[in-house]
Amino acid sequence: MLRKLPVLLAVGALAIAGCGGDDDGDDTAAPASPPPAASPTEQADGGSTTVTMKDIAFAPAQVTVKVGDTVTWRNEDSAPHNVVAEQGADFKSDTFEKGGSYRFTARKAGTIDYVCTLHPGMEGEITVER
Ligand code: CO
């Protein structure tokens, strides 16, 4: 009896480890619901950076990305905001409320200055590197 116990424990541990591995495989293979827009690893084209709009400000106000990367602005403020390039790019979002977002994919290296036209002083910068 006593001599068999360690063997049983070992078998049990193997079975548990095996189940864990199977679970991981299932998780990967299962058709997951679409990832959030900000998911940093799921962009086929390039990287992804999120800028939050909160307390009438962009956070972070300065980001550095690479050509091909996508910047997503997400409004988490009680106020509506927009995103309008002033220099270095040509994007202009509609005004969107809390929960809304806007995306821009950087296509050339340089510095982009942008603002929210609704709130003087609400401005940000994107440095796009090769
Ligand atoms: Co604003």
Side-chain angles (χ1 to χ4, degrees), residues 53-69:
M53 307 153 105
K54 199 168 174 64
D55 299 328
I56 320 293
F58 295 107
Q62 194 279 334
V63 294
T64 300
V65 303
K66 292 192 180 307
V67 172
D69 286 359

Side-chain angles (χ1 to χ4, degrees), residues 80-81 116 119 122:
H81 297 295
C116 168
H119 301 107
M122 184 173 172

Side-chain angles (χ1 to χ4, degrees), residues 5-67:
L5 191 53
V7 174
L8 290 173
L9 287 174
V11 170
L14 283 175
I16 291 167
C19 285
D22 289 343
D23 287 349
D24 289 343
D26 290 346
D27 287 348
T28 306
S33 54
S39 179
T41 58
E42 301 291 338
Q43 291 285 327
D45 194 25
S48 178
T49 297
T50 299
V51 175
T52 300
M53 307 153 105
K54 199 168 174 64
D55 299 328
I56 320 293
F58 295 107
Q62 194 279 334
V63 294
T64 300
V65 303
K66 292 192 180 307
V67 172

Side-chain angles (χ1 to χ4, degrees), residues 72-123:
T72 301
W73 289 267
R74 189 175 306 282
N75 188 349
E76 296 182 3
D77 215 343
S78 52
H81 297 295
N82 61 27
V83 188
V84 179
E86 287 205 316
Q87 186 176 316
D90 196 26
F91 56 80
K92 184 182 197 307
S93 81
D94 291 331
T95 296
F96 51 97
E97 305 282 340
K98 185 175 189 174
S101 63
Y102 178 73
R103 286 183 177 198
F104 164 74
T105 299
R107 291 300 179 196
K108 63 184 175 80
T111 300
I112 299 167
D113 294 323
Y114 66 89
V115 299
C116 168
T117 61
L118 304 178
H119 301 107
M122 184 173 172
E123 49 195 46

